[in-house]
Amino acid sequence: MTLFSQYHTVFFPLITGLLYYLGAYVGVHFAALDSGIVVLWPPNAVLLAALLSRPPRLWWPLFLAVMAAEVLADVPVFTVTQAVLFGVINIAECMIAAGLIRYWLARDIDWNEPKDLGVFLVTAFFVAAPLAAIGGASVYSFLLTSDTPFLTFWRLWWIGDATGLVVLTPLLHMLFSAGLQPRASHLRLPAQIELGAAWLFGLAACFLVFSWNLHSDAYLVLTPLVVLAAPLWVAIRFGPFAASFLVTAVALYVAFATAAGAGPFIREHQDQSALLAQEFVVLFVVLVLYVAAFVHQNRRKSRKLHEAFSELYKLNQALEERVRQRTRELFDANQRLQSLALTDELTGIPNRRHMKNLGEDEVKRSERSQRPFAVILLDIDHFKQVNDRYGHAVGDQSLQAFAQAIGSSIRSVDCFGRWGGEEFMIIVPDSDQVDLTRLSEKLLDCIRAVAVSFEDQRITLTASVGISEWHGTSFDRLVSEADNALYRAKAKGRNRAELSLARLHAADREA
């Protein structure tokens, strides 16, 4: 058997039995009035807290330990039979309360939850304690000789048991479930100092109210409420566990002082004194625990809301980053598509559409500036024979070599592109500053120098060139004129350049 299982099976029941016995001793000797009325009955809270902290299969050792403690505590005053009956009644009370709480919550009780606290209060104060009081009053009325009415016994038993359960069960259950050290270790030094100051203030208030007997008529309403300040502060600042510690200390102080005949609740009849003290203690404990639970719940929900907003912010940031990334990708894709749409795939130079757009832009610019530009069409001579004889791969290499040679021999402001097939175009801005005849001869020389190797052969190229210059016409018209000049070059034997007749006629008119 491991140490953990020994603790659950042996040590914890023994500890529970010892605490139950001490609770009975304290209740009889310190929390009872001279008439025998108990202001607060602690032992049942010990058993209920133990039952709530353990699964039902581990309850039976607790019952045995509590029964032994009950008999030991009662035998000096009652018979063994009466002691056993009292033990059965107390065990039944705690078992009913623990069973109903587990049934209604369907889980372990959490003192940080106002709902759980409400279930505990209703079950302990209004169900389990009144039912047990019927058994206790019956023992007193039918087995013990007494002139006290049954209902009086029932009320005294009910309120005394219920007060003990409400005051002590939360603290004892939290101690049984988690222990003191793990909770206290979370407090930093400033918080520990603050908590210690609250304890000093709370106990000082109890001393002033219940030991100095400041309970004149002028103070009757005010003085008992002074003891609320420190526990409420602890409940708000430190939560249910710390609050239950201080509230239990204050409640026991109130019960012990009232039992000793001190404090603002002392009346001519002791049952009235006990009832006033019990009402104050129960309301005091319930108020402080509910404040602690609601504050803790609000903080937890605020923290969860903050975490949710933080997570939402992160998700939103991630989403925005993805949108930006996708936007960049889309922009790059559009750029690539636009480039593909305006670039010849084989040679990498502008295609027909791009050249047409550039030509139309040049027309608009020339119309504004009245400065001409020229269009040069170049057609590779007998290119079909190259494809037929050497194959399309060599033909493609020839086109690439042709484009590379032309591109390196023109100005940076000139636009060079593929017009279609083996036909290419050059747009020459500000052509009035350029000698088009010399430019065409330079281009022809550049083309003649192009050579493509195929196996052991060296393939050379020539081209026919047609030139037209803007004279106030459209780009399409200008291309048509250059095309006509190109065909004249072909007709005259190829490997030569021809100027557009329209340009020649314009030159003649100027002359």
Side-chain angles (χ1 to χ4, degrees):
M1 182 180 293
T2 64
L3 182 62
F4 182 77
S5 60
Q6 287 179 349
Y7 170 75
H8 282 283
T9 307
V10 180
F11 297 126
F12 186 73
L14 290 178
I15 294 172
T16 302
L18 178 61
L19 291 176
Y20 186 93
Y21 179 84
L22 292 176
Y25 183 85
V26 169
V28 171
H29 291 85
F30 297 99
L33 299 170
D34 294 336
S35 62
I37 299 174
V38 178
V39 178
L40 180 147
W41 184 245
N44 288 8
V46 174
L47 178 56
L48 179 55
L51 295 180
L52 290 175
S53 63
R54 295 295 178 271
R57 71 176 187 279
L58 299 179
W59 283 1
W60 64 270
L62 301 175
F63 295 153
L64 294 177
V66 165
M67 181 60 74
E70 182 73 37
V71 172
L72 289 175
D74 291 349
V75 163
V77 180
F78 302 101
T79 65
V80 174
T81 301
Q82 293 167 347
V84 170
L85 287 176
F86 287 141
V88 170
I89 293 170
N90 289 335
I91 290 173
E93 175 184 356
C94 296
M95 186 170 65
I96 291 171
L100 289 176
I101 290 172
R102 286 180 174 273
Y103 174 77
W104 283 332
L105 294 179
R107 55 174 171 78
D108 292 337
I109 190 170
D110 184 359
W111 302 103
N112 297 314
E113 291 291 338
K115 172 188 173 183
D116 294 21
L117 182 59
V119 169
F120 161 74
L121 293 173
V122 171
T123 303
F125 201 94
F126 295 105
V127 179
L131 291 176
I134 295 175
S138 299
V139 172
Y140 273 101
S141 296
F142 301 116
L143 297 183
L144 299 173
T145 303
S146 176
D147 296 332
T148 304
F150 177 87
L151 290 179
T152 301
F153 274 125
W154 174 77
R155 180 179 62 81
L156 294 174
W157 186 294
W158 168 27
I159 302 299
D161 271 16
T163 303
L165 293 177
V166 170
V167 170
L168 293 169
T169 302
L171 173 62
L172 292 173
H173 177 260
M174 284 186 271
L175 285 175
F176 289 159
S177 300
L180 176 62
Q181 184 61 33
R183 297 171 182 266
S185 62
H186 292 303
L187 294 180
R188 297 181 178 179
L189 182 61
Q192 293 178 2
I193 295 174
E194 181 182 353
L195 185 59
W199 269 82
L200 290 176
F201 182 84
L203 295 179
C206 289
F207 177 78
L208 291 175
V209 173
F210 292 94
S211 297
W212 275 20
N213 284 324
L214 299 177
H215 54 274
S216 66
D217 292 340
Y219 291 97
L220 181 59
V221 176
L222 297 178
T223 51
L225 298 180
V226 173
V227 300
L228 277 170
L232 283 176
W233 177 254
V234 172
I236 294 171
R237 291 283 290 119
F238 299 100
F241 181 74
S244 67
F245 242 102
L246 183 54
V247 82
T248 300
V250 172
L252 290 175
Y253 199 113
V254 173
F256 296 163
T258 303
F265 302 124
I266 301 302
R267 294 293 182 270
E268 182 178 354
H269 299 286
Q270 291 193 352
D271 58 342
Q272 294 179 351
S273 302
L275 186 59
L276 284 173
Q278 289 164 342
E279 289 176 350
F280 173 80
V281 165
V282 170
L283 293 175
F284 162 73
V285 171
V286 170
L287 174 63
V288 173
L289 291 182
Y290 260 113
V291 168
F294 275 114
V295 171
H296 184 276
Q297 184 185 64
N298 182 65
R299 285 175 179 165
R300 186 178 67 252
K301 290 182 176 179
S302 297
R303 184 169 58 254
K304 289 183 178 179
L305 185 61
H306 176 74
E307 292 173 354
F309 274 120
S310 178
E311 184 66 22
L312 182 61
Y313 176 77
K314 293 178 181 178
L315 292 174
N316 186 58
Q317 290 293 100
L319 180 60
E320 289 182 356
E321 179 59 30
R322 289 189 65 183
V323 169
R324 285 193 292 268
Q325 181 179 353
R326 292 297 176 87
T327 302
R328 288 194 299 267
E329 292 175 355
L330 183 60
F331 176 79
D332 294 340
N334 287 334
Q335 290 293 96
R336 289 193 296 271
L337 288 175
Q338 185 176 4
S339 177
L340 291 174
L342 300 176
T343 303
D344 178 61
E345 183 178 1
L346 177 63
T347 59
I349 61 178
N351 60 12
R352 184 188 185 98
R353 176 186 300 177
H354 196 180
M355 294 301 294
K356 182 176 176 59
N357 293 338
L358 294 175
E360 290 175 350
D361 291 340
E362 281 298 320
V363 169
K364 295 176 182 177
R365 191 173 73 88
S366 293
E367 288 175 347
R368 291 193 301 269
S369 65
Q370 291 301 307
R371 298 190 64 179
F373 72 97
V375 172
I376 302 175
L377 285 179
L378 305 96
D379 188 277
I380 300 176
D381 296 331
H382 306 296
F383 183 74
K384 184 175 183 301
Q385 296 178 10
V386 175
N387 280 330
D388 293 343
R389 184 173 180 180
Y390 302 105
H392 288 281
V394 175
D396 290 344
Q397 293 178 22
S398 300
L399 291 174
Q400 292 170 345
F402 180 90
Q404 185 176 4
I406 297 299
S408 62
S409 63
I410 60 176
R411 302 176 305 173
S412 60
V413 296
D414 297 336
C415 303
F416 174 54
R418 187 178 179 185
W419 192 245
E422 66 273 18
E423 194 172 26
F424 294 81
M425 175 184 287
I426 301 174
I427 297 176
V428 183
D430 299 328
S431 57
D432 55 344
Q433 303 296 321
V434 179
D435 187 340
L436 296 177
T437 301
R438 292 186 60 184
L439 175 60
S440 63
E441 291 299 329
K442 177 183 176 182
L443 293 174
L444 290 172
D445 291 339
C446 179
I447 295 168
R448 296 185 189 105
V450 174
V452 178
S453 299
F454 176 72
E455 297 179 351
D456 295 334
Q457 303 181 52
R458 187 170 181 271
I459 305 169
T460 58
L461 303 175
T462 61
S464 299
V465 179
I467 305 170
S468 65
E469 192 172 26
W470 182 80
H471 51 90
T473 187
S474 67
F475 180 72
D476 290 338
R477 178 65 180 172
L478 201 60
V479 172
S480 177
E481 292 174 358
D483 195 51
N484 292 333
L486 175 65
Y487 275 100
R488 287 202 316 276
K490 285 180 177 291
K492 292 181 179 182
R494 292 183 168 85
N495 191 22
R496 59 182 291 123
E498 288 290 330
L499 295 176
S500 167
L501 294 178
R503 181 179 185 276
L504 294 175
H505 294 330
D508 292 340
R509 287 196 298 271
E510 290 176 0

